[in-house]
Amino acid sequence: GDVWLSPSPFGKAHPFGYFGGGYNPNVLSTVDRLDYSSDTGTMVTKGPLSVARYGAGSASNASFGYIAGGATPNTSIVDRINYSSDTSTALQRGPLTSAKSYVNGVGNVNFGYISGGDLTTVDRIDYSNDTATASPKGPLTEHRQYIGAVGNQDFGYFAGGGNPKISTVERIDYANDTATASPKGPLSEVKSSAGATG
């Protein structure tokens, strides 16, 4: 007959979050791990990243986290954090199409998308072939640093940014990611360096 497991293993979320890199006032390679079930304690140091940096973007799936780009100076390096072995130094994977910093990322279970910085390029990381150079996809309509990003399984949204600050929101359609991002929104006011969640 049927075998029932409680709780179901298919609905279980990964129990940790990871913060990589930063500036304090030196450039950092540290990876800190947040335990969602015990979030009042000091985070546990993991990693580190292969290269110290700040202003990087990130994307993830159920098994790996990717920290991409950043300023050290500007780099195209993509580091992969293995959730099942997070004490190891992050492994370098296929680079972005070019060096960029002050970027952000979104993604779904198959791909991660990194954009922002001084370019309009959207770089797609293929999780099933992450040693390859990221693929350039449909661009944003304008370049911007300090961009915010959030998404779901179907769309990614890049919002705001600086130089000069703007309120534009652009949407990437994962099912048609060669097209130029579609303008949406906008935000209620111009802003840069905003966090995002959803």
Side-chain angles (χ1 to χ4, degrees), residues 4 11 32 34 38 40 42 64 72 75 80 82 100 118 122 126 128 139 150 184 190 195:
W4 298 93
D32 287 343
L34 168 67
S38 178
T40 57
T42 301
F64 303 106
T72 65
T75 183
R80 188 182 76 183
N82 186 341
K100 56 184 74 175
D118 290 326
V122 177
D126 183 344
S128 67
V150 70
K184 298 294 176 180
V190 297

Side-chain angles (χ1 to χ4, degrees), residues 35-163:
D35 185 338
Y36 294 141
S37 66
S38 178
D39 57 13
T40 57
T42 301
M43 293 187 198
V44 178
T45 301
K46 297 292 180 178
L49 299 178
S50 69
V51 174
R53 70 190 101 156
Y54 61 94
S58 60
S60 66
N61 62 14
S63 302
F64 303 106
Y66 295 82
I67 307 292
T72 65
N74 284 6
T75 183
S76 62
I77 292 173
V78 175
D79 276 353
R80 188 182 76 183
I81 299 169
N82 186 341
Y83 298 151
S84 66
S85 178
D86 59 12
T87 57
S88 304
T89 299
L91 187 63
Q92 286 191 19
R93 309 313 284 167
L96 300 176
T97 57
S98 61
K100 56 184 74 175
S101 60
Y102 306 111
V103 296
N104 217 322
V106 294
N108 58 17
V109 296
N110 299 310
F111 303 107
Y113 296 83
I114 306 294
S115 193
D118 290 326
L119 304 168
T120 60
T121 312
V122 177
D123 283 0
R124 189 182 77 180
I125 300 168
D126 183 344
Y127 299 147
S128 67
N129 183 26
D130 62 10
T131 58
T133 299
S135 303
K137 294 298 175 179
L140 301 181
T141 59
E142 55 189 313
H143 73 83
R144 72 226 31 205
Q145 296 178 327
Y146 310 105
I147 195 170
V150 70
N152 60 20
Q153 279 299 111
D154 301 307
F155 303 106
Y157 296 82
F158 288 93
N163 295 341

